[in-house]
Structure formats: C-alpha cells, structure tokens
Amino acid sequence: MLRQLQEWGSHAVDIYDFLLAGADPRIQKYPLMQNPIAMSAILLGYLFFVMYLGPRMMANRKPFQLKEAMIVYNFSLVALSILIVYEFLMSGWTSTYTWRCDPVDTSDSPEALRMVRVAWLFWFSKIIELMDTLFFVLRKKDGQVTFLHIFHHSFMPWTWWWGIVYAPGGMGSFHAMVNSSVHIIMYFYYGLAAAGPRFQKFLWWKKYMTAIQLTQFVLVSLHATQYYFMDSCDYQFPMILHLIWMYGTFFFVLFSNFWIQAYVKGKRLPKQDVKQSMNGTAVHANGKHENGINGSNRQENGSSHKMKKA
C-alpha cells in the first residue's frame, strides 16, 4: 500500500512538473504565479465561505448594510478596469497587433513585458471580484448566490491563471480587454445604485447594459472564430482560443435567454418593474447593490442577477 502511494505521488509530481514546464518565465515574479497551490487555496476558501461558513455565520444575525464599503468597492473597480483597458491598448492592441492572428510576444521588450503585467493585473482583478459574493452573503442576499454566479466567479480566475501562465498576451488577451471595458460600465452602474435613492434617475440604462454584455460575447466569439478560418496562424496556444470561444458562446446563450425572459416576456421582473419598463421609465432592480430605492429596502430579483456578468 505504501509503495502504491509513493508511486501515485511520484506520478502526481511528474504531471505537475509537466504542466508547469511550458510556463512563461516572465510571469513567475508576480504574486501567486509560482504555482497553482495558493490560487487554488484562495478559490477553495471562497467556495467554503460562500457556500457553508458565511451562511451559517449570518443565520442568526441581521444583514450588514455596507453601503459605504460597496460605493468604494464599485468605483475602485471602475478605476481599475479603466487602467486595465488602457494598459491592454498600450501593450499591443493599438500598436503591433493586427486584431487577427496575434501570437504571444515572448521577448523582453518593454511592450511585451507591459502585456505580461496587465495580463496578471486582469487575473488579479478577478480575485478582487470575489468580494461580490461576500457582499451578498454578509447582506443575506441568498437569492443572488446562484450556481451560475459562483461558477463564474470561481471558474474564471482558475482558468485565467493557467492562461496567463502559458500565454500572457497575443490574441487570447482580446476577451480580457473587452471584458474589462464592460466592467467599467457595469461597476459604475452598481456604484450609483449603492449610493442610494437620489441616484435612481441615473439608472435608466440597466436594460442597455445587458445589451452591451451580449455585444461583448458576440465580439469575443467572433474574434476567436477567426482562428478556424485562417490558412495558418502561429498563435502558440490554440486550446485557449477554443475555451474562449466556448465561454463566449455559452454566456451569449444564457444572457440572450435572460433578455427574452426579462425584457420581452417580463417573466423575471417584479410586477411594478414590468409595468414601468414597458413605458421605458424604470430600471430593473439588479439586486446586487440596490438598497432602499424609493425609500425602502426593495426585494431584489435573484433570477436577474445570476446573469449579471461574465
């Protein structure tokens, strides 16, 4: 038995070494990039807290309001997302990239190293965004902690860790730049929503934010689709493009269904929002940070928020 355990351990080490053998050495100096252990521990801790420990801790407690914390959090992510988009643009997308088949620049040029840095920064922003779910738990918004929400928040940083370890840049970084662009708008909306009822008049464009998210998935999938129609492309990690294409297509289908149910059929909107949205005068309550609109704590629509982001 001991011998078998030793053999299994040896095979596990061999697999581990094989997986990291092709890692980009330039990314190794950044925090949490030396191996997947720390990253995986953070995500497992996140899952344990939001699915078990957090709900048990809050079971007999009143929900926290956290209004000021959420305002700071959301507008900080707006600023971070602006920085990430700018850095992606300056790292190749407005200079050397063709927007078609763009391989990873593995050199130590200033532009290539800048791309490595912003690729890591985008990944780290996904770790920060785990706070989304922590706010839900602490505010006892249990309807918002859906399978899709948890899956996205845990799966995205886990897969992107491997993505930037092997390919920090190239055409695989397009979807990160587009995603950060959408997050500028999205977190700006949530920041205003967290600020209170006096900002309600500025939140009429929730429906159009969903349209922007749908556009994001179309752009990401179309960009990745180019690879399948090129005679040749020297992008080094096609598997990443396959995953991006599947991810974009999967979420396009989910968000399209949400759009139809919420804005065409009105099935997922509270009755008062259905009536107002038909007149084009109201925003569907997102549930993430709306607390006290119209002077009361309105019940959020849990079904809507599970489609909030990608």
Side-chain angles (χ1 to χ4, degrees):
M1 182 64 177
L2 179 61
R3 183 177 179 180
Q4 287 182 328
L5 289 174
Q6 290 176 335
E7 290 179 353
W8 290 342
S10 177
H11 290 321
V13 171
D14 291 341
I15 294 173
Y16 178 82
D17 291 340
F18 173 77
L19 288 174
L20 292 181
D24 192 313
R26 299 172 301 171
I27 201 73
Q28 297 296 307
K29 66 178 182 179
Y30 289 94
L32 304 174
M33 288 290 108
Q34 290 72 37
N35 59 66
I37 296 175
M39 172 270 297
S40 298
I42 291 172
L43 295 177
L44 288 173
Y46 160 79
L47 292 173
F48 176 72
F49 180 82
V50 301
M51 297 178 68
Y52 180 78
L53 181 61
R56 283 181 171 259
M57 288 174 53
M58 296 302 298
N60 298 316
R61 290 183 171 90
K62 292 182 179 181
F64 294 98
Q65 297 302 314
L66 303 175
K67 178 179 177 180
E68 292 77 12
M70 290 189 297
I71 293 173
V72 173
Y73 170 75
N74 283 289
F75 285 116
S76 296
L77 280 175
V78 170
L80 180 59
S81 298
I82 291 173
L83 174 63
I84 290 172
V85 172
Y86 175 79
E87 287 298 307
F88 270 124
L89 291 172
M90 294 298 103
S91 299
W93 286 102
T94 57
S95 55
T96 57
Y97 281 26
T98 66
W99 296 69
R100 299 196 73 240
C101 177
D102 295 300
V104 178
D105 184 350
T106 58
S107 72
D108 288 327
S109 70
E111 189 173 69
L113 293 177
R114 192 173 186 177
M115 176 61 79
V116 172
R117 182 172 66 245
V118 70
W120 177 85
L121 187 60
F122 175 78
W123 173 80
F124 190 69
S125 73
K126 299 306 165 190
I127 299 298
I128 297 173
E129 289 170 13
L130 297 178
M131 287 294 296
D132 287 5
T133 324
L134 270 61
F135 280 128
F136 285 153
V137 173
L138 295 176
R139 296 176 66 226
K140 301 185 75 170
K141 305 301 181 182
D142 299 332
Q144 313 304 324
V145 187
T146 62
F147 168 79
L148 181 58
H149 175 89
I150 295 175
F151 172 79
H152 170 74
H153 276 70
S154 55
F155 184 74
M156 182 75 170
W158 194 85
T159 54
W160 242 88
W161 188 92
W162 294 99
I164 66 171
V165 161
Y166 289 107
M171 64 187 299
S173 65
F174 175 79
H175 87 287
M177 181 175 63
V178 173
N179 182 254
S180 295
S181 300
V182 172
H183 279 203
I184 295 172
I185 303 171
M186 186 185 74
Y187 281 106
F188 181 71
Y189 172 89
Y190 296 142
L192 289 179
R198 65 185 181 278
F199 290 95
Q200 183 185 12
K201 61 184 178 180
F202 301 113
L203 302 178
W204 53 267
W205 43 280
K206 163 63 179 170
K207 177 178 179 179
Y208 302 100
M209 189 169 69
T210 305
I212 292 172
Q213 290 171 320
L214 284 169
T215 303
Q216 168 192 196
F217 302 129
V218 171
L219 291 175
V220 166
S221 294
L222 286 177
H223 183 263
T225 299
Q226 295 181 97
Y227 179 81
Y228 304 111
F229 295 95
M230 294 176 183
D231 293 333
S232 63
C233 179
D234 53 355
Y235 179 72
Q236 299 96 319
F237 302 96
M239 178 58 69
I240 293 176
L241 298 181
H242 303 330
L243 291 173
I244 291 172
W245 186 90
M246 289 188 292
Y247 198 82
T249 303
F250 174 68
F251 275 94
F252 177 79
V253 172
L254 293 177
F255 269 74
S256 296
N257 179 65
F258 164 68
W259 176 278
I260 293 171
Q261 298 299 323
Y263 298 117
V264 177
K265 297 182 178 180
K267 290 184 177 180
R268 297 190 178 189
L269 295 173
K271 291 182 179 179
Q272 62 186 30
D273 285 349
V274 171
K275 182 177 180 180
Q276 291 177 339
S277 63
M278 289 179 178
N279 295 327
T281 60
V283 180
H284 170 41
N286 179 270
K288 179 174 188 283
H289 295 313
E290 285 196 23
N291 182 29
I293 289 180
N294 292 329
S296 63
N297 286 332
R298 187 163 60 180
Q299 178 67 34
E300 288 89 343
N301 186 328
S303 299
S304 70
H305 183 71
K306 72 179 182 179
M307 296 294 186
K308 82 169 177 77
K309 57 184 282 192

